[in-house]
Amino acid sequence: MEHLDTKTLQKLDAAHHLHPFNDNAVLAKKGTRILTRGEGCYVWDADGNKLLDAFAGLWCVNIGYGRKELGEAAKRQMDTLAYYNSFFQCTVEPTIELAAKLAELAPGDINHSFFVNSGSEANDTILRLVRHFWAVQDQPRKNIFIGRHNGYHGTTVAGASLGGMKGMHRQGGLPIPDIHHIEPPFWFGDGDELSPDEYGLAAAKRLEDKILELGPERVAAFIGEPIMGAIGVYIPPMTYWPEIERICRKYDVLLVADEVICGFGRTGEWFGSQYFGFQPDIMPVAKGITSGYIPLGAAMFNDRVAKVLKEQGGELAHGATYSGHPVCTAVALENLRILQEEGIVERARTEIAPYLAQRWAELGEHRLVGEARIAGMVGALELVPDKPRRTFFEERGKVGALCRDIALRNGLILRATNDSMLLSPPLVIDRAQVDELFEKAWKSLDETAAELGK
Ligand SMILES: *Cc1c(COP(=O)(O)O)cnc(C)c1O
């Protein structure tokens, strides 16, 4: 294939490509950055710049770029049987094997997978099947989902409704009915005088208050990300999730842990619920399941929910042409094999995460950083105007964007949400690369501070 030059590509992109989560008019003027190659923790752009990708694409490239085995697994499957569906009493071998593998990896009795193409679709699936679960047990009114303001569960109609992003709700008339939200746990933002542990319990109590307000007989499920990613890596105090679990059990509300980011090693455990020590009933997974090499998601259910769906659910009027696509499931299997056999999650937890935490804490010393939070292999730096106090910049997001652009010029990819600089590197990052990350981040913070001083 002949390569077009960068300017031509940018012109064609502006003319014909609508970008997600972008102001397309602004983007067309600036020109998109075109990425061309990846290896390990690095990517290269069309101008030849080498960038340390401290965000693993979009929280997903857990095994790092350039693992040939995944492409080979895809090719083997395409050459053998490129496609067959899971409707009409059929399915394919890698999909069965993946369902069994996921049952082995997932915590507790979460043993059943419904395959989809993305995290958003996994959440749509969960909304429909959970309401169906209650309906077939003569509780059709137990249909309300409670999520959290500023939570992120994807962009389909149900996913964006379950999420609590106001800007997303404004586009397309969301949320759909019977979805409610409570305030998220964000100690740095609203912990006031409480210790993090006290605050975790207080933040969990918001769920109990909401359930009692709505009536437990109306509440089908609570959904939350173990760590809230998109809003800025909000890591709840360790008291939060066990208390949420206790409340869900008390009122027989199903507990949905959205593991789309946390799943497959992000926290150093296989799943975020294991990091925080609670047992969900249901979990959507995607992203790290294939390390982003090919699209795949799953809605995973525990024995209780699956039993009802299987024995009383009748025909499940739900599914996609590509539910359990053999090429995607074959790639997922190969990804999970590598993660397991090479001990990548284990090594992230025992060797890399502690070192990353140490260097991240050093970044927390910078005068621009109000809080350096981290859990395993995911973290954030909260940029603040007044270091000793827990306050935010008046115009949220400007300083974060500035720092992100400076970091990019310094060869480092960090994402910015509001004024949080987000970290989520490939799990295979090594100590030398952590040092490189630290140096580039510190330099970028210095340059951002200097720019603000002007
Ligand atoms: C990315 C994400 C989703 C949506 O997944 P897509 O594959 O983008 O549809 C859902 N939940 C969480 C927590 C996510 O981070």
Side-chain angles (χ1 to χ4, degrees), residues 2 9 14 28 63 84 119 157 209 234 252 277-278 301-302 345 368 449:
E2 193 194 332
L9 284 168
I63 59 166
Y84 209 77
V157 169
D209 293 345
Y234 291 1
D252 200 17
F278 71 101
F301 299 95
N302 69 3
V345 177
L368 208 52

Side-chain angles (χ1 to χ4, degrees), residues 183-219:
E183 288 300 325
F186 184 38
W187 178 81
F188 185 83
D190 69 350
D192 292 327
E193 299 302 312
L194 298 181
S195 73
D197 278 355
E198 289 165 347
Y199 174 74
L201 295 176
K205 186 164 180 302
R206 294 164 185 164
L207 175 60
E208 185 157 29
D209 293 345
K210 182 58 89 177
I211 291 172
L212 291 173
E213 175 197 322
L214 296 163
E217 74 287 354
R218 292 290 330 268
V219 182

Side-chain angles (χ1 to χ4, degrees), residues 41 62 265 268 270 339-340 342-355 377 426-434:
C41 295
N62 291 7
W270 277 86
L339 282 175
Q340 268 195 311
E342 297 184 7
I344 290 172
V345 177
E346 174 84 10
R347 178 178 153 277
R349 180 177 66 245
T350 57
E351 287 179 38
I352 299 304
Y355 188 59
M377 304 294 287
L427 305 182
V428 296
I429 193 168
D430 64 24
R431 288 170 79 97
Q433 289 161 344
V434 170

Side-chain angles (χ1 to χ4, degrees), residues 36-52:
T36 53
R37 193 164 76 79
E39 190 65 47
C41 295
Y42 296 95
V43 291
W44 282 261
D45 70 16
D47 297 327
N49 297 306
K50 180 184 179 185
L51 305 164
L52 176 59

Side-chain angles (χ1 to χ4, degrees), residues 58-59 117-121 123 152-155 225 227 229-230 258-261 286-287:
L58 203 41
W59 325 89
N117 304 295
S118 68
S120 300
E121 280 177 56
N123 282 321
Y152 186 83
H153 301 295
T155 63
E225 307 149 80
I227 292 169
D258 185 335
E259 293 275 1
V260 172
I261 287 175
K287 295 195 170 107

Side-chain angles (χ1 to χ4, degrees), residues 79-384:
D79 291 348
T80 314
L81 178 66
Y83 174 77
Y84 209 77
N85 64 64
S86 294
F87 296 12
F88 318 135
Q89 218 184 326
C90 297
T91 192
V92 290
E93 203 176 319
T95 299
I96 299 171
E97 280 182 34
L98 180 62
K101 174 52 96 183
L102 289 172
E104 173 197 316
L105 290 173
D109 65 345
I110 298 185
N111 290 321
H112 313 267
S113 290
F114 190 108
F115 290 108
V116 290
N117 304 295
S118 68
S120 300
E121 280 177 56
N123 282 321
D124 275 53
T125 300
I126 286 164
L127 182 97
R128 291 195 65 201
L129 295 188
V130 163
R131 286 179 171 174
H132 186 53
F133 164 85
W134 290 115
V136 298
Q137 296 176 98
D138 295 325
Q139 295 185 74
R141 275 172 43 79
K142 198 167 167 73
N143 69 339
I144 292 178
F145 272 67
I146 300 174
R148 289 160 321 162
H149 294 296
N150 285 322
Y152 186 83
H153 301 295
T155 63
T156 46
V157 169
S161 294
L162 292 168
M165 302 276 188
K166 293 234 161 40
M168 291 173 70
H169 290 170
R170 273 196 291 275
Q171 297 178 3
L174 305 178
I176 54 173
D178 292 322
I179 292 178
H180 292 255
H181 299 89
I182 58 173
E183 288 300 325
F186 184 38
W187 178 81
F188 185 83
D190 69 350
D192 292 327
E193 299 302 312
L194 298 181
S195 73
D197 278 355
E198 289 165 347
Y199 174 74
L201 295 176
K205 186 164 180 302
R206 294 164 185 164
L207 175 60
E208 185 157 29
D209 293 345
K210 182 58 89 177
I211 291 172
L212 291 173
E213 175 197 322
L214 296 163
E217 74 287 354
R218 292 290 330 268
V219 182
F222 171 72
I223 183 168
E225 307 149 80
I227 292 169
M228 297 175 78
I231 187 56
V233 185
Y234 291 1
I235 303 167
M238 294 306 278
T239 50
Y240 181 77
W241 278 110
E243 180 65 3
I244 290 282
E245 180 182 13
R246 188 190 67 76
I247 293 165
C248 286
R249 301 278 171 261
K250 183 170 173 193
Y251 299 104
D252 200 17
V253 166
L254 293 172
L255 177 49
V256 185
D258 185 335
E259 293 275 1
V260 172
I261 287 175
C262 288
F264 309 101
R266 182 48 59 200
T267 63
E269 302 286 343
W270 277 86
F271 295 94
S273 62
Q274 295 163 327
Y275 182 89
F276 289 106
F278 71 101
Q279 178 62 46
D281 301 304
I282 297 172
M283 48 190 215
V285 295
K287 295 195 170 107
I289 193 172
T290 58
S291 285
Y293 279 58
I294 202 162
L296 180 70
M300 295 194 68
F301 299 95
N302 69 3
D303 290 342
R304 175 192 177 193
V305 177
K307 186 170 191 296
V308 170
L309 292 175
K310 283 181 177 176
E311 293 177 6
Q312 295 165 248
E315 179 181 328
L316 298 181
H318 185 76
T321 305
Y322 298 145
S323 289
H325 192 294
V327 178
C328 303
T329 51
V331 171
L333 275 172
E334 186 64 6
N335 175 58
L336 298 179
R337 184 190 69 74
I338 291 173
L339 282 175
Q340 268 195 311
E341 284 181 13
E342 297 184 7
I344 290 172
V345 177
E346 174 84 10
R347 178 178 153 277
R349 180 177 66 245
T350 57
E351 287 179 38
I352 299 304
Y355 188 59
L356 190 60
Q358 178 195 325
R359 303 246 68 186
W360 203 243
E362 286 175 57
L363 289 171
E365 304 290 308
H366 197 279
R367 67 190 152 105
L368 208 52
V369 178
E371 183 184 60
R373 42 183 187 265
I374 192 160
M377 304 294 287
V378 59
L381 302 173
E382 191 71 45
L383 308 188
V384 295

